[in-house]
Structure formats: structure tokens, C-alpha cells
Amino acid sequence: MNWYGKKNDYQGIVADEKTGETIAITYDKENTELIAAAPDLLEACGVALLELKQLHDYTQKDCLGLKESKAHCPTLVYIEMLKNAIAKAEGGK
């Protein structure tokens, strides 16, 4: 998906580059670019999640003896953050 944003003095419009279909109207025009970037951000989160999982599996020694407690393993915290953000973007909680 390729979305783009246009702004005027009062609002922003996010549209699909291929079809021209309006995706969203933002009444806080500062949010226009964020919403336009949403598909790219979601894809980047998915890639980062896979990479972090692989990194964690490869370097699990960072969490050994800690019962993989999130409080003691930052990688697990970031993995959980990415999972939650992806779930929220896909309609979950």
C-alpha cells in the first residue's frame, strides 16, 4: 500500500496512491504524515519483530538464569511492545 497525505490550513487527507481513494481525514493536520506512513510502519514493525526474535534466540544467554523475566531482558520487552503494536494495528488489543 502506498498512501500519501495532503494538508491545508484546517485538515489533512490521506489517500491511496494507486486508486486515489480517501483513507482518512485528519482534523489535526499534524497527524496526516503519521497516518500516511501507517502501512510502512506496520511492515517495519513486523520485520523488526522477526529480527529481534532471531537475535534473542541466538543470544539467549542474556536471559539465562533469569527465567526470561521481561524486567531483566530488554529484548523481550521490545518483542512484547512490537507484538502489541502489531496486534493493535491489525484490530486486536
Side-chain angles (χ1 to χ4, degrees):
M1 263 184 254
N2 289 318
W3 293 358
Y4 67 92
K6 297 187 299 185
K7 296 188 283 187
N8 61 30
D9 291 338
Y10 308 103
Q11 66 188 18
I13 297 172
V14 179
D16 186 297
E17 217 171 63
K18 289 182 182 178
T19 65
E21 175 187 5
T22 298
I23 304 299
I25 297 173
T26 60
Y27 295 101
D28 181 350
K29 62 183 180 177
E30 301 306 316
N31 290 330
T32 305
E33 288 87 359
L34 177 62
I35 293 170
D40 298 326
L41 291 168
L42 181 57
E43 182 180 357
C45 284
V47 171
L49 178 59
L50 291 175
E51 291 295 322
L52 274 176
K53 283 181 177 180
Q54 288 178 354
L55 176 68
H56 182 264
D57 290 347
Y58 183 72
T59 61
Q60 225 174 35
K61 61 185 173 213
D62 293 341
C63 297
L64 290 179
L66 301 174
K67 297 181 182 174
E68 298 207 325
S69 167
K70 290 177 189 156
H72 299 297
C73 188
T75 306
L76 289 177
V77 173
Y78 305 140
I79 287 170
E80 202 61 33
M81 287 172 67
L82 285 166
K83 282 182 181 178
N84 291 338
I86 291 168
K88 188 174 184 180
E90 292 177 342
K93 291 185 177 185

